[in-house]
């Protein structure tokens, strides 16, 4: 993953809220701390391989993350909402 981030860019990083992290629950937090592949998926899911600001993301509607899944945005003006709620699964 570090090579992906060092080799190319720019990137947009989406930071989850404290509430989102709290809602993961202790089992998921433990899994993330013991499963580096799962942690990598979660981090890559929060990175968009392009520079974008929220109004642009809302206009695009959907973008593909570094992890490969699409995230859908909606909103206008100062209010934008991330529609997706996904828990990546290790394969």
């Amino acid at each position: 993953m570090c090579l992906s981030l060092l080799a190319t860019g720019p990137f947009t990083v989406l930071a989850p809220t404290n509430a989102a992290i709290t809602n993961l629950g202790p089992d998921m937090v433990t899994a993330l701390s013991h499963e580096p592949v799962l942690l990598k998926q979660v981090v890559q899911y929060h990175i968009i391989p392009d520079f974008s600001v929220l109004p642009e993301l809302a206009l695009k509607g959907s973008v593909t993350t570094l992890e490969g899944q699409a995230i859908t945005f909606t909103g206008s003006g100062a209010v934008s909402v991330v529609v997706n709620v996904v828990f990546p699964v290790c394969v």
Side-chain angles (χ1 to χ4, degrees):
M1 183 173 69
C2 287
L3 292 177
S4 296
L5 295 176
L6 291 174
T8 59
F11 298 100
T12 300
V13 178
L14 306 172
T17 64
N18 289 341
I21 293 170
T22 300
N23 286 337
L24 287 176
D27 292 341
M28 180 59 81
V29 172
T30 299
L32 288 171
S33 67
H34 291 95
E35 299 288 339
V37 173
L38 180 61
L39 180 60
K40 178 181 175 181
Q41 278 186 290
V42 171
V43 171
Q44 288 181 331
Y45 179 78
H46 289 84
I47 300 172
I48 299 169
D50 189 16
F51 175 78
S52 296
V53 292
L54 270 175
E56 291 174 3
L57 293 171
L59 288 174
K60 290 179 183 178
S62 180
V63 294
T64 301
T65 68
L66 195 59
E67 194 262 336
Q69 292 189 54
I71 296 180
T72 303
F73 295 86
T74 186
S76 62
V79 178
S80 293
V81 177
V82 179
V83 177
N84 297 51
V85 177
V86 176
F87 291 101
V89 178
C90 286
V91 180

